[in-house]
Amino acid sequence: MQQPTTYADYQQLMAQIETLLQKATAGGGFAVLSPDEATELAQLSEWAEAYEDSIPLMPIKVPQSIPEMIAFKMYEKKMKQREMAQLLEVPETRLSEILRGKRRVNLAMAKTLRTKLKIDADFILEHA
C-alpha cells in the first residue's frame, strides 16, 4: 500500500487500519501486534492523516451582517438567546428583533457589541 491519492485509496487504507485496530482490541492492546504490524499501523495512520489534511474543508461562512455576527458569537460562546440578551444587558425581545432584522443597532448597542462581544468597530460601522 502507498499513500492514498483518491478517496477509494483512502477507504482501502482505512480498512487496513481498522483490521489492525480490531486485532489490537481483541487481543487486549497494541502489545499483541507484532513489531512489523505496529510499524505498518503507524505508517498507515500517517498516510491517512496526510490525505485528510490535503482535503480542503468547506469554507466557514463569514458573517455579513450584525445579526449574523451576533448569531455567530452566540454559537461560538455556546449561548442561548436569553443568555446573550443578559450579557448584552438588553431585553430578549430587543435582541430577537435585531437578530430577525426588524430593529437596527443603535449607538449604545454598537458600543456594547464592541466591548462585550469584541466585534470589530469597523465591522459594526460597515454593517449598521
Side-chain angles (χ1 to χ4, degrees), residues 37-114:
E37 289 172 327
T39 301
E40 179 184 10
L41 179 59
Q43 180 64 63
L44 294 174
S45 296
E46 285 181 25
W47 287 345
E49 184 178 0
Y51 178 80
E52 290 164 357
D53 289 345
S54 74
I55 299 170
L57 298 175
M58 288 184 0
I60 296 172
K61 184 178 184 231
V62 177
Q64 297 296 316
S65 66
I66 290 176
E68 285 181 10
M69 181 60 84
I70 295 170
F72 174 73
K73 293 291 186 176
M74 284 173 51
Y75 171 78
E76 198 175 57
K77 295 176 178 293
K78 298 180 173 91
M79 297 178 89
K80 294 185 167 76
Q81 191 169 315
R82 172 177 284 134
E83 297 166 324
M84 181 60 74
Q86 289 170 351
L87 175 69
L88 298 175
E89 299 173 3
V90 296
E92 261 186 86
T93 53
R94 183 171 304 146
L95 179 58
S96 177
E97 289 172 346
I98 291 170
L99 290 172
R100 290 184 292 135
K102 302 289 183 185
R103 180 186 287 255
R104 296 189 65 88
V105 173
N106 62 22
L107 182 58
M109 179 60 127
K111 287 180 180 180
T112 301
L113 292 173
R114 188 182 65 76

